[in-house]
Amino acid sequence: MTVITPELPRRLLGRFTAHPAILVVTAGCILLLAIGGIIFPAFLSPGYLLQQLQIASFLGVIAAGATLVILLGHIDLSVPAGITAVAVLTTTVAGSSTPSVAAVAIPIGLLGGALIGLINGIGVAFFRLPSMVWTLAMNSMLVGAVVFFTGGFKPRGVAPPLSISLALDRTLGIPNAFLFWIAVMIIIGLLFKRTVYGRYILATGSSEKAVYLSGIRVRLVTTMTFVAAGVFTAIGAILLAGYANQAYQGMGDAYMLPVLTAVVIGGTSILGGKGSYAGTVVGALFITLLSSILSVLQMPEAFRQIVFGLIILSMLLIRRFERNNR
């Protein structure tokens, strides 16, 4: 029988270990590089590889928020529409004829992402509704809001100069987007290693009931995590707007499956409490390289979605097999 004490979250945290999936996916990245080099020699050129790191950075930043939510034991399906909504909001404000308004486009975009996350968190933490259903409904409402705001036409506005610089420019030959992603990696790493909040996320994902009985404010942790996820989604949207120098309908539609796939194949349990952002990082690199090879082979988008879905199903079956053999 487990005794509920204030030290329980720390004991639960002890179960958090690096998953062998990280090594497997890393090996998969090396294999993809070899395959890419065979079918397309320029695949291994420094310029092309740096471009892949740049593209992977957008996925990796968005997947940072998804990782936090999944480690908590929930899932956020509002990511696609969240990306589109924040991108439209940011570019619209940035395109304002009033300089003082245009200058705050990025802060407003971040606040928009935080608001989306807050609504998601309240629904899951306080109304106790399944995160999958609540966030899917939120995704639908955001799609409707964007269509209503734009009238179904191409959104007006421009990307803020800072988002363009972060998404497209380079420092010493290295994409700024990748340097920014490295900063995100450091922040997430410190979050789990040096903060109580990070430990609470893992503990809650392992056993929400036990954490609640030990005196931790689970509702607050859950809400804060969804807000953080919303902010990371907003950052990704702002970077994507800078990369395309615009926002457009369905901008985030292509990211739902890749985001979930990057998190899951990196060893993070879909049930929460086990995994790491390091796994998501290698997962994002793997997905980016795989997508690049499929593009070189001129595979249709439908085939890519099938591949991502099969990867997720395979990882779920592997996790179930592991649990049954313990």
Side-chain angles (χ1 to χ4, degrees):
M1 178 178 178
T2 302
V3 179
I4 306 301
T5 69
E7 292 297 314
L8 180 61
R10 245 172 237 176
R11 297 208 304 273
L12 291 173
L13 177 59
R15 302 175 190 172
F16 176 72
T17 57
H19 199 280
I22 296 178
L23 298 177
V24 174
V25 178
T26 301
C29 290
I30 296 173
L31 179 62
L32 288 176
L33 287 172
I35 294 173
I38 292 173
I39 63 176
F40 181 55
F43 194 89
L44 297 179
S45 66
Y48 194 85
L49 291 178
L50 286 173
Q51 183 186 39
Q52 296 308 299
L53 289 177
Q54 181 183 24
I55 295 172
S57 299
F58 306 141
L59 175 60
V61 170
I62 297 170
T67 302
L68 296 179
V69 170
I70 292 176
L71 282 172
L72 194 67
H74 294 287
I75 192 167
D76 184 0
L77 297 181
S78 67
V79 169
I83 292 173
T84 303
V86 171
V88 169
L89 174 63
T90 303
T91 55
T92 300
V93 175
S96 172
S97 57
T98 305
S100 59
V101 174
V104 296
I106 290 180
I108 288 178
L110 294 175
L111 285 175
L115 178 60
I116 293 171
L118 178 62
I119 296 173
N120 284 335
I122 291 174
V124 174
F126 291 90
F127 295 157
R128 306 299 296 173
L129 295 172
S131 58
M132 180 179 294
V133 177
W134 181 269
T135 57
L136 185 61
M138 178 58 120
N139 186 80
S140 179
M141 289 188 290
L142 288 172
V143 169
V146 170
V147 173
F148 177 80
F149 178 76
T150 62
F153 299 100
K154 178 182 177 181
R156 297 180 179 179
V158 295
L162 179 57
S163 68
I164 295 175
S165 177
L166 286 174
L168 293 176
D169 291 348
R170 299 192 176 195
T171 301
L172 300 177
I174 301 175
N176 287 345
F178 180 61
L179 295 176
F180 183 83
W181 189 23
I182 291 176
V184 170
M185 296 178 201
I186 295 172
I187 291 172
I188 298 294
L190 292 175
L191 175 72
F192 286 111
K193 290 184 178 180
R194 300 293 179 86
T195 70
V196 174
Y197 168 65
R199 294 195 289 269
Y200 285 174
I201 290 177
L202 295 170
T204 302
S206 294
S207 177
E208 181 176 329
K209 182 178 179 180
V211 169
Y212 173 77
L213 292 175
S214 65
I216 295 173
R217 300 173 67 181
V218 175
R219 289 180 175 177
L220 179 60
V221 172
T222 300
T223 303
M224 288 177 59
T225 303
F226 273 97
V227 170
V231 171
F232 277 117
T233 298
I235 294 173
I238 292 169
L239 289 174
L240 287 172
Y243 187 72
N245 199 20
Q246 64 177 336
Y248 52 87
Q249 300 282 356
M251 191 173 191
D253 291 353
Y255 278 87
M256 187 71 265
L257 273 180
V259 165
L260 291 179
T261 306
V263 176
V264 172
I265 67 174
T268 297
S269 172
I270 199 71
L271 299 178
K274 184 178 181 181
S276 70
Y277 185 56
T280 300
V281 169
V282 295
L285 292 172
F286 179 88
I287 293 302
T288 302
L289 291 173
L290 178 61
S291 297
S292 181
I293 290 176
L294 293 177
S295 294
V296 170
L297 295 175
Q298 298 183 342
M299 293 294 181
E301 179 63 26
F303 182 79
R304 300 184 204 184
Q305 297 300 313
I306 291 173
V307 170
F308 294 148
L310 287 175
I311 291 175
I312 293 176
L313 290 176
S314 298
M315 295 306 297
L316 291 175
L317 290 174
I318 291 173
R319 298 288 191 281
R320 181 177 179 84
F321 179 78
E322 289 175 349
R323 289 197 303 271
N324 291 340
N325 285 272
R326 286 176 182 171

